[in-house]
């Protein structure tokens, strides 16, 4: 502190602040502290705060301790640097959304969860959103060519995507089956549901959202999309592979999850 340049602490004030306080640009903190003999008052509140801090430091000047670097943590200044603490100090904190664990659940496939997360927030570049900043674009759904594209349409009002969704979950949900986005969200966030049933629905939801979004993008980029029956088969196989792994891990409440999946195939 003795040798550190006071101006590095005062740079935000600019020259005006430094001149008002009578501190040389090249002054050390020690010089700035010893300069204060009698408490001064300034028009700018920040200068009064700095003056108060400099006055508070007076008792510490004079000891021969060497300068040390300190890092600000939530609990105060410490000599160790922590990326976690620093991130906490600089980030803007918000309340955690209540469905975070329903998307980033145990055994989920991260790339599926990521796309599902975007869908939950409705931040995918679906044509209803694109048309807000790029008027005149074609907003017709490229999968059914029969309605305007939106998040709710793609998942799963669309006559094409709804067939995939129905194939995956109708046997599990029976009378509770729905293709309405908001009702689907209620299902995947229903923690009172039997564990293996909930896992199958959540995983099928994320796999379907990811795969159907990819197919939609293929058509947008003039690539050849998969045929409906091949798409259903591929998704079903991917989910079965996942359930085999989950079965091998033997999570509590997940016993015979693969058999459960087979028993719900129509
Ligand atoms: Zn459609």
């Amino acid at each position: 502190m003795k040798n550190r340049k006071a101006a590095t602490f005062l740079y935000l004030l600019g020259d005006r602040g430094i001149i008002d306080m009578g501190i040389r640009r090249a002054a050390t903190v020690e010089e700035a502290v010893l300069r204060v003999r009698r408490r001064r008052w300034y028009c700018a509140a920040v200068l009064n705060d700095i003056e108060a801090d400099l006055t508070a430091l007076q008792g510490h000047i004079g000891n021969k301790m060497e300068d040390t670097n300190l890092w600000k943590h939530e609990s105060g200044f410490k000599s160790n640097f922590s990326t976690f603490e620093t991130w906490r100090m600089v980030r803007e904190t918000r309340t955690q959304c209540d469905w975070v664990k329903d998307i980033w659940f145990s055994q989920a496939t991260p790339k599926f969860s990521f796309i599902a997360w975007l869908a939950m927030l409705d931040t995918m570049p679906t044509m209803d959103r694109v048309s807000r900043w790029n008027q005149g674009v074609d907003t017709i759904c490229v999968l059914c060519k029969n309605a305007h594209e939106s998040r709710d349409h793609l998942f799963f009002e669309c006559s094409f995507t709804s067939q995939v969704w129905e194939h995956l979950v109708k046997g599990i949900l029976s009378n509770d089956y729905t293709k309405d986005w908001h009702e689907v969200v209620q299902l995947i966030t229903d923690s009172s549901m039997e564990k293996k049933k909930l896992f199958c629905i959540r995983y099928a939801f994320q796999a379907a959202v990811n795969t159907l979004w990819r197919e939609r993008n293929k058509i947008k980029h003039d690539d050849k999309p998969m045929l409906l029956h091949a798409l259903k088969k591929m998704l079903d196989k991917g989910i079965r592979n996942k359930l085999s792994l989950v079965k091998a891990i033997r999570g509590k409440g997940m016993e015979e999850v693969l058999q459960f999946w087979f028993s719900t195939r129509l």
Side-chain angles (χ1 to χ4, degrees):
M1 185 172 68
K2 281 188 306 176
N3 302 318
R4 189 166 293 162
K5 293 282 184 283
T8 58
F9 294 94
L10 300 171
Y11 74 99
L12 284 173
L13 302 174
D15 283 344
R16 185 70 243 164
I18 293 172
I19 291 164
D20 284 354
M21 298 193 77
I23 299 171
R24 295 188 302 125
R25 176 164 284 284
T28 62
V29 174
E30 184 178 38
E31 274 182 63
V33 170
L34 294 177
R35 172 201 55 85
V36 181
R37 294 215 165 76
R38 198 160 8 108
R39 185 73 186 266
R40 298 184 197 176
W41 293 99
Y42 304 94
C43 293
V46 66
L47 296 186
N48 288 320
D49 291 344
I50 292 172
E51 193 73 46
D53 286 345
L54 290 173
T55 306
L57 284 171
Q58 278 181 323
H60 300 280
I61 296 290
N63 67 36
K64 298 297 177 196
M65 279 172 66
E66 283 300 309
D67 290 352
T68 54
N69 290 315
L70 295 175
W71 297 96
K72 195 171 185 183
H73 291 220
E74 270 194 333
S75 54
F77 286 93
K78 292 185 180 169
S79 56
N80 65 310
F81 174 73
S82 157
T83 48
F84 176 67
E85 283 285 343
T86 305
W87 173 71
R88 278 161 61 110
M89 293 300 296
V90 299
R91 81 187 181 114
E92 188 187 338
T93 49
R94 296 188 189 177
T95 49
Q96 197 175 60
C97 72
D98 53 6
W99 44 264
V100 63
K101 293 264 191 304
D102 302 314
I103 295 296
W104 301 99
F105 54 88
S106 173
Q107 306 295 326
T109 299
K111 70 174 179 181
F112 292 177
S113 296
F114 178 69
I115 299 293
W117 178 262
L118 296 182
M120 291 290 276
L121 295 171
D122 198 7
T123 54
M124 299 166 115
T126 44
M127 295 317 291
D128 62 327
R129 297 186 66 244
V130 172
S131 67
R132 281 183 224 155
W133 64 78
N134 189 4
Q135 287 178 353
V137 289
D138 184 1
T139 59
I140 296 295
C141 168
V142 291
L143 293 167
C144 68
K145 299 178 181 65
N146 198 32
H148 292 288
E149 186 188 90
S150 65
R151 188 267 316 265
D152 294 11
H153 172 77
L154 280 177
F155 314 117
F156 301 95
E157 286 166 1
C158 175
S159 58
F160 180 86
T161 63
S162 62
Q163 292 180 72
V164 176
W165 177 238
E166 185 176 330
H167 171 74
L168 295 177
V169 301
K170 182 78 187 280
I172 303 173
L173 294 168
S174 53
N175 289 340
D176 291 333
Y177 171 76
T178 177
K179 54 185 185 178
D180 175 88
W181 172 263
H182 299 283
E183 290 175 7
V184 169
V185 169
Q186 276 186 356
L187 286 169
I188 62 163
T189 56
D190 180 4
S191 54
S192 67
M193 200 184 287
E194 187 189 2
K195 199 171 173 184
K196 59 188 168 194
K197 181 177 172 182
L198 184 60
F199 185 89
C200 287
I201 294 166
R202 280 178 175 173
Y203 198 78
F205 167 76
Q206 295 200 353
V209 167
N210 180 77
T211 305
L212 292 167
W213 181 247
R214 202 188 56 206
E215 288 302 301
R216 174 263 189 206
N217 289 340
K218 271 192 198 169
I219 300 172
K220 283 275 180 196
H221 296 112
D222 295 327
D223 270 354
K224 203 164 173 247
M226 291 176 76
L227 294 171
L228 182 62
H229 76 272
L231 201 55
K232 288 179 182 175
K233 206 169 159 186
M234 185 195 73
L235 270 165
D236 191 62
K237 190 175 175 196
I239 294 168
R240 275 190 278 126
N241 286 344
K242 180 70 190 185
L243 296 178
S244 302
L245 288 171
V246 172
K247 189 183 159 211
I249 295 165
R250 290 179 186 277
K252 194 164 177 267
M254 296 293 284
E255 300 83 8
E256 300 179 348
V257 65
L258 189 58
Q259 287 90 324
F260 173 74
W261 180 260
F262 283 128
S263 71
T264 56
R265 299 304 89 201
L266 295 174

